[in-house]
Amino acid sequence: CIRKYVYFSGYEIQKNVNIAKHFYASKHLISEKTYNIVMGGSASSSLLPKVNIDWHEAAIFTNELSELEGLDKFYTIENKQVIGVNPNSKGYRLLTEAEWELIASENSNKTIYPWGNTELIPPLIGNLAGEENIGKLKFYIENFRDDYAQRSKIGNFKENKNGFSDIVGNVSEWVNDFYSEDFLTTNNDIYVNYLGPSFGNSHVVKGSNYESTNQTELGISYRAGVIGPSELIGFRVARWIY
């Protein structure tokens, strides 16, 4: 299918992306428990999303998961840094920005927000900065409460209509793409199975988190360029099927 997704950088730049390959995406964010099992860390039963890792560490996790399941690794790693990718691999990887927007949209049809096109935030849609943060954060969403001031367990809120949890709030997500404002694109260009720009100083983070309050951050088109780890950023995995 051809997806249109938007770079938000003060004004919007639209890309036409043809997602021609079928792909799997994890229903949940990767939890601390799953991360530790795959990476051979100390035992953990925590179902909180894994945070405080940078983009390269998230990519390394996907390679380790591929190895456990006997799949070709997607990322080429040297000295704990990603130096390339194998576009023919069916191993695990991070979602692309276009894929994230696809699974985040209402019934896979592009909408302004994950719940539709209305600015009104539905009750209990996800873990955002509601009135439970009065006195804790400078800003909060009036007349909204989810009872979580920080991370919540994965899958604690209702799935979206595409079957994915924590698309709204909890933690934002690393995706595969380098961050670029890429002003040279034209509306007639179609990018097939687009993995993002080939270079950059930071990587794209998508989605809102438990400190999000404004409509811009809640929009599907919102993106940020981030370099290092953050307690507000987690990830989920994907892989091509055919």
Side-chain angles (χ1 to χ4, degrees), residues 163-181:
F164 295 93
S165 70
D166 293 312
I167 292 294
V168 178
N170 207 356
V171 296
S172 303
E173 303 179 34
W174 289 115
V175 295
N176 181 76
D177 306 38
F178 279 111
Y179 180 85
S180 171
E181 293 181 343

Side-chain angles (χ1 to χ4, degrees), residues 45-197:
S45 59
S46 169
L47 293 179
L48 294 173
K50 178 65 179 177
V51 295
N52 283 322
I53 62 172
D54 66 20
W55 182 90
H56 294 277
E57 290 174 295
I60 289 169
F61 170 89
T62 69
N63 269 13
E64 293 296 317
L65 183 58
S66 294
E67 186 172 19
L68 284 174
E69 297 193 9
L71 300 169
D72 291 338
K73 294 179 180 179
F74 182 80
Y75 296 103
T76 303
I77 310 289
E78 281 189 8
N79 298 320
K80 298 183 178 181
Q81 299 287 300
V82 175
I83 62 169
V85 300
N86 176 7
N88 297 316
S89 166
K90 292 184 174 64
Y92 290 99
R93 56 178 172 78
L94 299 172
L95 284 161
T96 67
E97 183 170 7
E99 288 170 343
W100 189 93
E101 293 198 357
L102 174 65
I103 71 168
S105 297
E106 178 84 349
N107 281 334
S108 298
N109 296 316
K110 183 64 182 289
T111 50
I112 297 174
Y113 305 102
W115 58 84
N117 292 316
T118 175
E119 290 187 357
L120 182 64
I121 303 171
L124 299 178
I125 188 69
N127 180 2
L128 298 168
E131 292 186 343
E132 68 278 355
N133 285 290
I134 293 176
K136 299 173 184 176
L137 295 176
K138 184 176 181 180
F139 301 103
Y140 62 90
I141 303 169
E142 293 184 356
N143 302 316
F144 181 89
R145 176 178 289 273
D146 57 59
D147 294 331
Y148 291 95
Q150 295 187 328
R151 288 178 294 165
S152 53
K153 292 180 181 179
I154 60 171
N156 222 38
F157 291 84
K158 184 179 178 181
E159 301 165 7
N160 75 354
K161 290 187 177 180
N162 297 320
F164 295 93
S165 70
D166 293 312
I167 292 294
V168 178
N170 207 356
V171 296
S172 303
E173 303 179 34
W174 289 115
V175 295
N176 181 76
D177 306 38
F178 279 111
Y179 180 85
S180 171
E181 293 181 343
D182 205 359
F183 292 108
L184 298 179
T185 186
T186 69
N187 286 336
N188 294 325
D189 293 332
I190 296 179
Y191 298 81
V192 180
N193 300 320
Y194 187 54
L195 292 171

